[in-house]
Amino acid sequence: MSAASCLLTEDQFLCSICLDVFTDPVTSPCGHNFCNKCITGHWDVNVQCQCPICKRRYNTRPELHVNTFISEMAAQFRQSVQQKTSSSSSEQQAAKPGEVPCDVCTGTKLKALKSCLVCLVSYCETHLEPHLTVSGLKRHQLIDPVENLEGRVCTNHDKLLELFCKTDQMCVCTLCTYSDHKAHDVVPLKEEYEGKKAELKETEAEIQQMIQKRRLKLQEIKRSVELSKERADRETAEGVQVFTALKESVERGQAEFIRTIKEKQRTTEKQAEDFIKELEQEISELKKRSSEVEQLSVSEDHLHLIQSFSSLNTAPPTKDWTEVSVSSPSHEGTVVRAVIQLEQTLSKQTKNIFETELKRVQQYAVDVLLDPDIVHPKPTQSNPRQKVNERYVCRCVLSKQGFTSGIFYFEVQVSRWSTWTLGVTTESNVKGRITLSPKNGFWTVCLKRRGWYFAPAEPSVLLPLKSQPEKVGVFVDYEEGLVSFHDVDTAALIYSFTGCSFTDKLHPFFSPCLNDGVAIHTRDIECQIT
């Protein structure tokens, strides 16, 4: 029996109705064999009995008899297939998560080798064999294993999705072109596949360009951190040298000085680490998307490519890194503020430190030109008939240029005026009645009559200066929120506004008020600011 079965081809053991190995095979009067259940069910749904193979018709349903020979041969063939399946299953790998399993396997699902677009079933290597040997099954279209095969069939007409409707941007079957998509722009699935594949190549190139830009930005940020650290190290070394010279009396100040600088550096490094982490995350996501696009680009599965195109054609959400940078923190003023706290015990050392600090901030000196178009000539009067005493007219003027970031320093010769106000503000604040205070956008120091110096803070601070300044230097660190005033001749610190929050453009501001009857012109002020 075993030798006889070897003389028969495998398709001779398959029922032409269910395409599976015979179960209870019976023979029709015309000599063709079928499963008893298959031929009985076929004749139950047809009015006239007819052979599914030769189409011979019978007026009455023929009496069917079991074909013993075919039954034995089919049983032996089934046993042989099961043994072969068992042997192959031990060699093949079970489907892992994310892999397409065989739809025919019972128990442990093996990894599918191919999917059939006609049967809408995925097969492992063993269960795929009939499609490779049986003549009727060889004509079926096989593709790499995919999930959701039902999604490749038109739900309206139960036919394969073989066309693409450009009008409605969806896959359709041939019957759809005669109904809902009649007169639409319909092309073969392969043609649309080629077009989408070309677009995916462009998308991949764009993603690679985005990755390159972010790599360059990554290097820029890392370099910024290195420069910031070098600057912090220099500041720390200089500060340590100063505090070491002051010995035990400045140990607490030295520790605070180092802590402040390191805290700023840690903040800078933390900001950079966040940027780096975010950039690396975006690069990882873009690489992942690039890999997906690359895999999709080489896919020969037309429908899968088209259905996945919309989700992979665009790059994942990313940040615009063009203007992103890591600002190096400013340490100017740190030594000065630390030493000021020790002024009572370190008065002999203070002057030297102030001179050093002044030289440091003077490195950021800018040329300031006053704008004659931004002048507040006199107070706003609610009653136009009210007489204004010119002796008490308060004039003020701003610089032409403004600053929205960074560090800058300028000096003003104030000795020619008996009263004055000097500092920085925003252009929008110099309108109508002026009330000096940080809350209203003014960071200034003032000289009142009788030699009273004060800072219009909240509340105002009286400044007991030891000498009358002739030239005042103004230092501003926008990011640090610092505005400090220096007596240029004595190198003494007059006052500092700290912890400021700047959001608008800052302009150097000057007002020789009250003018004591002296005619003040913009050209007179301009030459005093350098």
Side-chain angles (χ1 to χ4, degrees):
M1 184 69 70
S2 175
S5 65
C6 295
L7 300 177
L8 299 176
T9 60
E10 294 183 359
D11 56 347
Q12 290 177 292
F13 295 103
L14 303 180
C15 172
S16 59
I17 297 177
C18 67
L19 299 179
D20 202 353
V21 179
F22 286 117
T23 301
D24 298 330
V26 294
T27 304
S28 67
C30 56
H32 295 109
N33 299 307
F34 308 95
C35 294
N36 187 13
K37 183 177 180 181
C38 293
I39 189 63
T40 301
H42 178 73
W43 284 345
D44 287 341
V45 297
N46 291 277
V47 176
Q48 188 175 19
C49 295
Q50 184 181 30
C51 177
I53 298 178
C54 65
K55 308 301 181 184
R56 179 178 175 179
R57 297 182 180 181
Y58 303 98
N59 294 328
T60 59
R61 178 177 292 195
E63 184 177 355
L64 301 173
H65 299 281
V66 175
N67 189 322
T68 306
F69 174 75
I70 295 296
S71 178
E72 293 177 354
M73 295 290 290
Q76 185 172 353
F77 176 75
R78 182 182 290 106
Q79 183 180 4
S80 175
V81 171
Q82 289 176 349
Q83 291 175 351
K84 186 175 180 181
T85 300
S86 175
S87 175
S88 300
S89 298
S90 62
E91 297 176 359
Q92 298 182 61
Q93 296 181 348
K96 299 178 181 178
E99 295 180 338
V100 179
C102 176
D103 295 324
V104 183
C105 288
T106 58
T108 301
K109 294 285 187 178
L110 299 181
K111 178 182 178 181
L113 187 63
K114 292 289 183 181
S115 295
C116 178
L117 294 180
V118 178
C119 303
L120 297 180
V121 175
S122 296
Y123 299 99
C124 64
E125 182 179 357
T126 301
H127 293 121
L128 180 66
E129 188 169 350
H131 277 74
L132 304 177
T133 57
V134 178
S135 57
L137 298 178
K138 286 182 179 180
R139 294 190 294 270
H140 289 191
Q141 184 178 356
L142 299 176
I143 63 172
D144 290 336
V146 294
E147 296 180 331
N148 190 26
L149 286 168
E150 293 79 4
R152 298 170 177 268
V153 177
C154 177
T155 56
N156 295 330
H157 306 106
D158 199 26
K159 291 182 67 65
L160 282 177
L161 300 172
E162 301 175 311
L163 303 171
F164 183 79
C165 176
K166 287 181 171 292
T167 305
D168 294 333
Q169 291 292 300
M170 61 183 298
C171 299
V172 298
C173 71
T174 53
L175 294 182
C176 288
T177 60
Y178 298 98
S179 56
D180 296 339
H181 300 270
K182 186 177 181 180
H184 286 189
D185 184 9
V186 179
V187 298
L189 206 60
K190 184 177 181 180
E191 179 179 332
E192 184 66 17
Y193 162 86
E194 294 296 340
K196 290 294 191 289
K197 194 171 183 179
E199 291 185 33
L200 282 174
K201 289 183 179 179
E202 295 179 1
T203 300
E204 182 180 5
E206 292 176 359
I207 292 176
Q208 290 298 331
Q209 187 176 11
M210 294 175 67
I211 291 175
Q212 183 61 24
K213 287 182 178 180
R214 277 150 182 78
R215 282 174 174 167
L216 292 175
K217 179 59 70 172
L218 193 65
Q219 295 175 359
E220 177 187 332
I221 291 178
K222 288 182 177 180
R223 181 55 182 162
S224 297
V225 174
E226 292 175 359
L227 294 176
S228 176
K229 190 175 187 305
E230 291 175 2
R231 184 178 178 184
D233 291 342
R234 289 196 303 269
E235 288 290 334
T236 301
E238 293 174 4
V240 168
Q241 183 177 2
V242 171
F243 281 101
T244 301
L246 299 177
K247 298 183 178 181
E248 295 181 358
S249 60
V250 295
E251 286 182 354
R252 289 189 300 272
Q254 177 183 352
E256 180 64 18
F257 166 79
I258 296 176
R259 187 199 65 78
T260 301
I261 289 182
K262 289 187 175 181
E263 183 65 27
K264 292 178 183 178
Q265 180 60 24
R266 280 195 295 270
T267 301
T268 300
E269 292 182 349
K270 178 61 170 61
Q271 181 188 34
E273 289 174 0
D274 292 342
F275 285 157
I276 291 171
K277 182 177 180 181
E278 191 172 355
L279 278 167
E280 290 176 341
Q281 179 64 30
E282 286 195 10
I283 291 174
S284 176
E285 291 296 329
L286 288 170
K287 283 184 177 179
K288 180 180 178 182
R289 178 61 61 87
S290 176
S291 177
E292 294 173 351
V293 170
E294 182 180 359
Q295 292 179 7
L296 188 61
S297 298
V298 299
S299 173
E300 297 179 358
D301 183 352
H302 303 174
L303 182 61
H304 176 61
L305 185 144
I306 293 172
Q307 290 179 334
S308 304
F309 178 81
S310 59
S311 61
L312 293 179
N313 187 40
T314 57
T318 55
K319 181 188 291 186
D320 182 3
W321 292 92
T322 304
E323 300 298 330
V324 176
S325 63
V326 176
S327 299
S328 180
S330 169
H331 304 285
E332 282 68 30
T334 307
V335 177
V336 174
R337 290 192 298 273
V339 175
I340 282 294
Q341 298 175 2
L342 304 173
E343 185 177 7
Q344 292 180 353
T345 58
L346 306 173
S347 59
K348 293 182 180 180
Q349 305 292 339
T350 300
K351 182 175 177 58
N352 293 334
I353 297 175
F354 282 153
E355 290 176 349
T356 301
E357 181 65 15
L358 181 59
K359 291 179 180 179
R360 289 160 60 100
V361 300
Q362 285 177 331
Q363 297 176 3
Y364 300 97
V366 296
D367 293 329
V368 177
L369 298 178
L370 301 184
D371 191 344
D373 296 327
I374 312 179
V375 177
H376 184 33
K378 59 182 66 179
T380 301
Q381 299 295 321
S382 60
N383 184 356
R385 296 182 179 180
Q386 181 178 354
K387 183 178 181 179
V388 178
N389 188 340
E390 291 295 332
R391 182 178 178 83
Y392 298 101
V393 169
C394 183
R395 304 170 186 269
C396 58
V397 65
L398 304 185
S399 65
K400 288 183 178 181
Q401 66 269 51
F403 302 87
T404 57
S405 63
I407 301 172
F408 63 95
Y409 171 86
F410 62 94
E411 296 178 349
V412 178
Q413 190 75 34
V414 297
S415 57
R416 62 174 297 179
W417 290 285
S418 60
T419 61
W420 48 262
T421 298
L422 173 64
V424 292
T425 184
T426 59
E427 181 178 345
S428 59
N429 290 324
V430 190
K431 296 178 181 178
R433 184 177 178 83
I434 294 177
T435 302
L436 300 176
S437 72
K439 181 178 180 180
N440 295 323
F442 288 89
W443 294 268
T444 60
V445 293
C446 305
L447 169 60
K448 299 180 67 174
R449 286 179 177 276
R450 302 175 185 175
W452 290 358
Y453 294 89
F454 72 100
E458 298 172 3
S460 294
V461 178
L462 186 64
L463 306 175
L465 303 184
K466 295 181 179 179
S467 61
Q468 190 174 30
E470 295 188 0
K471 181 183 290 187
V472 176
V474 183
F475 173 79
V476 179
D477 187 331
Y478 197 98
E479 283 75 21
E480 187 72 12
L482 170 67
V483 180
S484 60
F485 300 84
H486 304 260
D487 185 332
V488 177
D489 297 318
T490 64
L493 177 68
I494 298 174
Y495 186 76
S496 290
F497 290 93
T498 60
C500 307
S501 179
F502 303 129
T503 57
D504 298 327
K505 182 181 294 186
L506 291 180
H507 292 263
F509 168 85
F510 182 71
S511 173
C513 179
L514 299 167
N515 61 36
D516 288 333
V518 179
I520 304 302
H521 301 284
T522 302
R523 61 178 181 271
D524 297 326
I525 304 174
E526 180 177 323
C527 65
Q528 303 300 325
I529 301 181
T530 59

